[in-house]
Amino acid sequence: MDRVDLFRIFIRVVDCSSFTRAADTLGVPRSSVSAAIQDLEGRVGARLLHRTTRKVSPTQDGLAFYERCQRVIADVEDTENLFRQTAAQPSGRLRIDVPGRIGRLIIAPALPDFLDRYPEIDIDLGVTDRAVNLVEDSVDCVLRVGPLSDSGLIARSIGNLPLINVASPVYLARHGTPQTPDELGEHRAVNYASPSNGRVEDWEWVEHGALRAVSLHGRVTVNSAEAYIACCLAGLGLIQIPAYDVKRHLEAGELVEVMPGHRAEPMPMALLYPHRQHLSRRLQVFADWLEALLKCQLL
């Protein structure tokens, strides 16, 4: 068995967390999978997997080796397809992670289009607002909204996500409609606390090219976008929110934009990859499709 086959078997065992399930999906005996892993560990001189009666999981060395194997297999597949007609039809499985509401409202409804275009690609779509480690979580690509930390990952800028100020007609009928930030002291906000650090976000706006911020009084503080919007719909205060998030509420008249000339600074969006030089063909076409989708739907 050559090294590429060993790499493929190792990847499948990690993906399945089981020798038996990996063998079933590969159509080979379990003993062959076990022997292949033993051979591979002997070649690399390291223990790659933790084995228990219930589950198989990668060691720390195994996680690093898993990432390398994925990149090698991607390169092999791209090389094999270099001169084939099927090169226009990339194949394989992609693991993507995106923010919750973008995933549910924008990406998931549009996925049939991508899968129709690329029938040989399967998608594992993670929809979460938590930070994801691309290597440890075996993710090919993540979508990030907001400023990026210096993570050492490759970032592909997609654009800036517009934010708007909104309130419910019930709130505006009771408290009036603010026209400028100078009037915000007479109003309430639904405060948003960051799920990661608990810090309550200030109310922001751009004035003469400079970012301004103020802390607004609010009787309710939330830590999720769903609760943020729900409290605004209930008339509990003003909020600042990505425009796509409340599009249907604006169209239905359930929310109203206020102070359109005093919006917050747009939020940058970026796709993050572990390594540019090992970007597989299937990831390239998905990234291109996702960028076009988000620019059409969000920007």
Side-chain angles (χ1 to χ4, degrees), residues 125-157:
L125 181 65
V127 179
T128 176
D129 293 315
R130 71 176 177 87
V132 170
N133 186 303
L134 274 74
V135 176
E136 293 182 3
D137 294 324
S138 303
V139 174
D140 296 299
C141 176
V142 298
L143 174 66
R144 287 282 182 266
V145 177
L148 297 175
S149 60
D150 185 13
S151 63
L153 299 172
I154 303 301
R156 171 176 171 173
S157 176

Side-chain angles (χ1 to χ4, degrees), residues 58-80:
T59 63
Q60 194 64 37
D61 288 336
L63 284 173
F65 191 69
Y66 175 80
E67 179 199 359
R68 294 290 186 93
C69 286
Q70 287 184 310
R71 287 151 49 187
V72 169
I73 295 302
D75 280 348
V76 168
E77 291 175 351
D78 286 348
T79 303
E80 288 175 343

